Amino acid sequence: MRGSAELLDETRYNVVDLVKFSCTLYCLHDYVADVTALAGPSMLPTFNEAGDIVVVNCLHVKLSRPLEKGDIVIARSPTNPGNTVCKRVLGLPGDRILIQPQFWYQQEQVLEIPPGMLWLEGDNPFNSTDSRSYGPVPMALVKGLVVFKLYPLLEFGPLPRTYRKPGVIYPKLDMETGISR
C-alpha cells in the first residue's frame, strides 16, 4: 500500500502535467491554428448553412502577414464581441468601395477604407450582416485565415481564393438547392 506522501507527489505531478498540456493547447489554439465549426447562411454557397468544419490559420495574422482580397477570415463580430463571424475580405486599406443601397430610400455611396481596416462581406449578400451594415472592420478583430475545409468529407480540401466585387447585386440563391434564381 502506498503512503499518502507518494499519492500527494503523484497527484502533484499529474496536475503539473495537465497544466503544461493545457497551456500548450491554448497557445496552439490561439496562435497557430484552430478548428472551427461554421453556422449560418451568410457564406452560401462557399460554406453550407450548418455543419462545415474548417481549419483557421491564426499564425498568418499573428505574424502580420498581409491579407488579400478574396481571403476568407474569422473575426470577432464588431457588433457583438462575444461572437465570431466568417466573411470574405473584399476591401483593403485605401480601396474605394461602392456601397449599393439595401433599401429603396438609400442612395449609392462610395467609401474609402481607412488605414488599419478591412471591408468584409458574406458570399450570400441577400442574407449576410457584414460591412454593409456595420462599416469597415478593424484588422485587430481578425482572428485568422480560413485555409482548409475538413467537413463535409465530400468537400474536404484547401479553399480556393475567389474574388467578388463589393456592392454588386448577385442573383438570390435558393436555400435548399444553392441554385440562383
Side-chain angles (χ1 to χ4, degrees):
M1 187 164 220
R2 298 183 346 199
S4 61
E6 289 178 21
L7 280 174
L8 187 60
D9 282 344
E10 185 177 334
T11 303
R12 189 176 298 131
Y13 287 122
N14 287 339
V15 168
V16 168
D17 286 345
L18 182 62
V19 168
K20 287 179 186 177
F21 176 74
S22 298
C23 290
T24 303
L25 198 58
Y26 173 79
C27 288
L28 285 174
H29 165 28
D30 237 32
Y31 297 101
V32 179
D34 187 17
V35 176
T36 302
L38 304 177
S42 72
M43 286 300 288
L44 282 170
T46 306
F47 297 113
N48 300 304
E49 198 164 344
D52 285 5
I53 299 174
V54 296
V55 175
V56 180
N57 178 352
C58 302
L59 198 57
H60 187 90
V61 174
K62 298 294 182 191
L63 293 176
S64 299
R65 298 240 170 94
L67 293 170
E68 297 178 20
K69 291 179 186 174
D71 286 342
I72 299 172
V73 296
I74 299 290
R76 228 178 259 294
S77 171
T79 57
N80 184 356
N83 292 340
T84 56
V85 295
C86 178
K87 304 292 179 197
R88 190 177 298 276
V89 176
L90 293 186
L92 299 170
D95 287 352
R96 293 171 56 100
I97 301 291
L98 173 67
I99 304 170
Q100 293 285 345
Q102 290 181 300
F103 303 102
W104 64 271
Y105 55 84
Q106 296 175 326
Q107 294 181 357
E108 282 185 350
Q109 57 185 131
V110 176
L111 173 78
E112 186 170 328
I113 308 298
M117 306 287 259
L118 298 170
W119 189 264
L120 303 179
E121 284 189 24
D123 286 353
N124 182 2
F126 299 102
N127 199 356
S128 177
T129 303
D130 47 35
S131 287
R132 293 170 298 151
S133 302
Y134 43 72
V137 176
M139 287 184 187
L141 293 182
V142 175
K143 180 179 179 188
L145 179 67
V146 179
V147 292
F148 204 86
K149 189 184 286 193
L150 295 174
Y151 187 84
L153 294 177
L154 292 174
E155 300 171 22
F156 182 87
L159 291 171
R161 177 179 286 138
T162 58
Y163 177 67
R164 182 174 69 75
K165 290 185 179 178
V168 174
I169 302 296
Y170 290 88
K172 191 167 178 84
L173 293 176
D174 183 293
M175 298 301 258
E176 290 180 14
T177 63
I179 299 171
S180 60
R181 295 188 232 163

